[in-house]
Each structure stands twice: as C-alpha cells, then as structure tokens.
Amino acid sequence: MQIKALKFGGSSLADAEQFKKVANIVKAEESRRYVVVSAPGKRFDGDTKITDMLYEAYSIADAGEDMTDLFAKIRGRFESIITGLGLDLDLSKDFDKIFSAFHHHPGRDYAASRGEYLNGKIFAAYIGYDFIDPAKCIFFKENGTFDAERTNEVLSAVLAEHERAVLPGFYGSMPNGTVKTFSRGGSDITGSIVARAVNADLYENWTDVSGFLMADPRVVHNPKPIDEITYRELRELSYMGAGVLHEDAIFPVRAAGISINIRNTNRPEDRGTMIVPHSEYYNYETVITGIAGKKGLSVINIEKDMMNSEIGFGRKVLEVLEEHNVSFEHLPSGIDTMGVVISDAELAGKDEAIVHDIKKAVSPDHISVDGGLALIAVVGRGMISAKGTAGRVFRAIAAKGVNIRMIDQGSSEINIIIGVDESDYLRAIEAIYEEFVK
Ligand code: ASP
C-alpha cells in the first residue's frame, strides 16, 4: 500500500467546520496514514492564531501577572471545536496541567507548542488514529539545531508500530527533555520529517491556497498556477514560496527523493503544485516556471584597476563581511569591479564600518554603497534548452523604459536575476510576466 504523509496548516484546522473538511480529505484515501497538524489558525480576517495567544498568555504569566481570562479564551476555542464535532473528549486535565505549568516558567517554546499538542489530540480522537507526541521522537541537539539522524532513527521505529497516526507539528525536545519548537510555520518541517521517516510516496501539504502561482498576485493580476516545480527552482524562487511553505521543510524530503504536493483544504478538487526532485517535462508555452522578487537591497560597488589579477581580493572583501556577521545575496562582478548585494536589514547601521574596513583591506580606487535596489528572479528549468530567453527578458523590461542596474545568472542556468530600482519593481515584473505568459 502507498503511504502518504499529510500536514494541515492552521487555517485548515481553525474551527470544527474546517476539521470536518480535513477528516473527509484524510478518509478519502487509504494511503493517507500519517497526519501532522498545526494549531488552530485564523477563522477570519482580524482573528488571532492560537499560537500567538499562547505566546501572549505565557508572557503575562512569566511577568507574574494574571492571564486567567486569556487562557479561558484559548481553552474556549478548543472546546468549541470539540463540541462542534460532537466529540466525547474531556481535555480538562491537559488544560489544568498547562495552566499550572505556565506559572513555573517552562519556556516560551513549551507554551507555544501546546496549540499543536491539543489540536493533535482532538484530531486523533475525531478521526480514530493513534496520537503520537513528537517530544518523544523529534529531537534537537544541545546547540538547538535539529538532530536529523537521531530523529529519523527513533521516529521511523515509532511510526512503524502505528498503522495510522496523528502528530502535532512544530515541536520536539532538547536532550534534557524540555520542549523546543522550530521557527514559526514549523509544522511544515514536521510534516517533511514524518514523510521521510515513513519513506512516504508523497508528502501532501494542505493549506489555504491551491499551490504556487507564477508571480505574486499583488503584483500581477490573476497569475497562472504552477503545476510542477523542481526543488531547485523552488530554492531559486524562495522569495516567492515564503508564506506557503517553510523554507526548511524541503530538506528532509528532498534528501529522500520524496515529492511535495501543495493542496488547498477548501478546494480539494484542485491538483495544486507538485514539488519534485527532477522533471523531464517543462511548460513549452511559458518556458519559465515563475517570477519572484524582493525590494530592500543595497549594493556595495568596489572598483580597482587590475582587480582581476590581484590574488585574494574577493576573499578579503568577503572576510570583512564575515567579521561584521553580514551575509550577502549576490556577487555580480566585472573585470575591475565587484558588487556585493546585501539586504538592507542585514546591512542596517553597519555600512560605514564595512566600507572603512574594505578600504583598509583592499585599497579600492572607488567604493560606494547604493541603496534602493530590488531584485527579480526569473526561474525555469526550460531556460536551459529554450534559446533567447535572456534576450526576451531584457527586451520586455527595456520596452517599459526600465533601467537594469544589475544582471546575474546562476551557474545552473535555471535563473536570471535582474536588479532594478525599487520604483521600477512592479513594472519590471509585469513586463516579464506579459512577455512569457500572456
Ligand atoms: N502554529 C505555529 C505557527 O503559527 C506553527 C505552524 O503553524 O506551522 O507558527
């Protein structure tokens, strides 16, 4: 029998009606055996996620103040799910235990993780699957990073004993047994870890959109959905995936060669987007797979005659950045010029000191920091075989009167990165989309 691991996000499990949709989806296929759940998310615009309520309750308790009312609200949301499902399930003991634990400084992570924990218990009871607490089988190392090896060993063994199970997402435990969470949105990672541990045929990630779109719908009107994208392309478009899938969720399944299918709980009839390890096929009509971009970047421009023959020049520049604990995004270079593209958030407040240190390290003829840069990534595995793609990108942008400040092409030939003024960002993306898709 095929095995599928599934993950349902917070909006898919925000109330009893959503729980019913999720149960129907799980029951629709025998192979849907391992289910990871998030905490209840927003039911409507302006609503608050349970995770955020838990963080707040914990801060109040931690400050020695009274969080009884807020805790009652949190409890009320879970209880309305239980009642709405007509379930005979009493979680009073859990609520009492959590309430009292909050007063003994168990840590923010423990507090936040209770949303997933309680939701997992309710969903397991509703669907009749076993409940597994990830604190016993998902592990972090002493330094706080995820312990993939140990987890995979223990989790595979645990899951092999359960034909069907529900696991709360988002957390595991430290070597001393205390609860630790992944970063926000981390249930996606748990889903991926579970898929790897059971060697699943597919990891279905159910959310509230029908997969990825070829461009940001706030920039392009009604962009086309992406049917299939490779892991590599998704990495190149990582600015775009934000908000749909946690960046770190791809690593466990990618290593195991398992595909991810992004699906919509509210429109289960949609096929969604398949994220695959490799693909022979590409969309011949559009050639490109997607366009993504971001604003808020600066470039440090460095010029020096004969730079190309000066051994160690690049290393010395990058060493300065390392000393300032700054990571860079791109390194476009010319024969006597080198550019370092850095996000403004990374550079904030450090630019003068960095320029000073680069001057000291490599004595450039000229150095300046220019802000207001936006980057646009045009990505597609089809670009390797379709000739003239770069020409089409540049012509489309030029036709709209947009000046290109920087060009970079990754060595894999599946992306072209273009730097433009932030004020030209929208126009440039629209121009590229129109050229290839419309
Ligand atoms: N509930 C957590 C959050 O809001 C984790 C998740 O939903 O994936 O970030």
Side-chain angles (χ1 to χ4, degrees):
M1 199 208 318
Q2 271 210 337
I3 303 180
K4 288 185 182 171
L6 289 75
K7 177 261 171 176
F8 290 89
S11 58
S12 299
L13 292 159
D15 59 23
E17 287 317 301
Q18 291 298 94
F19 263 68
K20 290 179 190 167
K21 290 186 195 168
V22 170
N24 286 335
I25 291 168
V26 175
K27 284 188 197 144
E29 286 185 29
E30 274 277 293
S31 56
R32 292 182 169 150
R33 290 169 48 187
Y34 299 98
V35 183
V36 171
V37 299
S38 282
K42 294 184 184 179
R43 294 160 293 181
F44 44 82
D45 271 354
D47 196 16
T48 313
K49 286 178 163 197
I50 286 286
T51 310
D52 292 313
M53 294 169 88
L54 287 163
Y55 277 127
E56 198 189 334
Y58 184 70
S59 310
I60 299 173
D62 207 36
E65 282 157 31
D66 182 16
M67 53 87 176
T68 316
D69 288 352
L70 182 53
F71 195 84
K73 270 196 199 150
I74 296 170
R75 183 171 177 161
R77 279 206 51 191
F78 285 107
E79 279 171 348
S80 78
I81 294 174
I82 297 174
T83 328
L85 296 174
L87 262 183
D88 181 21
L89 176 70
D90 182 8
L91 291 180
S92 325
K93 276 201 187 125
D94 281 301
F95 286 119
D96 293 345
K97 194 173 155 197
I98 296 167
F99 184 80
S100 103
F102 269 39
H103 294 95
H104 297 96
H105 310 282
R108 265 170 65 80
D109 284 13
Y110 167 83
S113 73
R114 296 306 88 185
E116 271 67 17
Y117 171 83
L118 292 163
N119 231 23
K121 282 209 145 173
I122 299 173
F123 190 68
Y126 183 50
I127 192 129
Y129 280 22
D130 299 338
F131 172 82
I132 297 175
D133 188 347
K136 300 194 178 74
C137 42
I138 292 187
F139 305 110
F140 291 85
K141 296 181 193 164
E142 203 60 69
N143 65 7
T145 57
F146 170 57
D147 190 342
E149 250 55 339
R150 182 168 170 231
T151 297
N152 199 48
E153 205 182 302
V154 176
L155 187 61
S156 308
V158 169
L159 293 176
E161 304 203 334
H162 299 265
E163 202 176 312
R164 298 175 182 277
V166 172
L167 294 95
F170 193 34
Y171 71 92
S173 60
M174 291 292 287
N176 68 2
T178 55
V179 165
K180 164 139 184 77
T181 63
F182 293 104
S183 57
R184 294 299 304 265
S187 299
D188 285 340
I189 308 174
T190 311
S192 182
I193 293 167
V194 168
R196 177 183 172 205
V198 297
N199 204 6
D201 296 281
L202 185 66
Y203 169 24
E204 290 181 343
N205 186 293
W206 291 80
T207 173
D208 53 8
V209 292
S210 298
F212 298 121
L213 299 169
M214 288 189 71
D216 185 341
R218 288 165 301 188
V219 177
V220 168
H221 177 65
N222 209 5
K224 282 201 174 152
I226 299 177
D227 295 331
E228 190 178 77
I229 184 168
T230 63
Y231 279 115
R232 198 150 188 179
E233 288 173 309
L234 185 62
R235 285 294 295 155
E236 298 292 348
L237 286 171
S238 61
Y239 313 144
M240 179 181 79
V244 179
L245 184 72
H246 194 297
E247 245 191 306
D248 295 346
I250 71 171
F251 299 108
V253 275
R254 182 183 186 172
I258 300 167
S259 302
I260 307 178
N261 190 189
I262 307 286
R263 299 285 294 265
N264 188 345
T265 300
N266 304 317
R267 292 182 55 91
E269 63 282 9
D270 291 352
R271 287 180 14 241
T273 301
M274 274 292 225
I275 310 169
V276 298
H278 303 284
S279 176
E280 299 300 320
Y281 148 94
Y282 73 89
N283 189 334
Y284 296 94
E285 248 168 67
T286 59
V287 178
I288 62 169
T289 303
I291 311 162
K294 69 169 172 184
K295 296 189 198 174
L297 296 136
S298 294
V299 51
I300 304 179
N301 288 306
I302 306 161
E303 282 177 34
K304 188 175 185 191
D305 279 348
M306 309 292 284
M307 176 194 289
N308 65 325
S309 55
E310 188 174 324
I311 290 174
F313 189 94
R315 177 183 52 77
K316 288 178 200 156
V317 170
L318 296 182
E319 245 170 30
V320 171
L321 295 180
E322 194 177 343
E323 278 154 19
H324 287 270
N325 202 20
V326 164
S327 71
F328 67 89
E329 310 238 346
H330 293 280
L331 278 183
S333 64
I335 188 103
D336 288 331
T337 62
M338 175 173 173
V340 189
V341 178
I342 302 173
S343 81
D344 292 344
E346 278 284 309
L347 202 57
K350 297 179 178 168
D351 45 344
E352 276 180 28
I354 289 176
V355 167
H356 172 266
D357 290 354
I358 293 178
K359 278 185 182 161
K360 220 166 78 188
V362 294
S363 321
D365 299 332
H366 167 86
I367 178 164
S368 63
V369 181
D370 298 324
L373 182 74
L375 286 186
I376 298 168
V378 186
V379 175
R381 56 195 185 277
M383 282 164 37
I384 300 175
S385 37
K387 293 192 181 75
T389 313
R392 287 175 67 191
V393 172
F394 302 137
R395 259 199 313 278
I397 294 179
K400 296 274 167 163
V402 170
N403 176 39
I404 296 179
R405 282 177 53 181
M406 186 206 98
I407 300 167
D408 199 6
Q409 179 169 36
S411 52
S412 59
E413 271 189 69
I414 66 163
N415 67 349
I416 298 171
I417 294 180
I418 300 143
V420 298
D421 270 345
E422 284 180 334
S423 56
D424 288 330
Y425 177 71
L426 299 182
R427 260 191 309 157
I429 293 189
E430 273 165 4
I432 301 167
Y433 187 83
E434 270 170 32
E435 166 67 28
F436 286 92
V437 190
K438 282 196 179 146

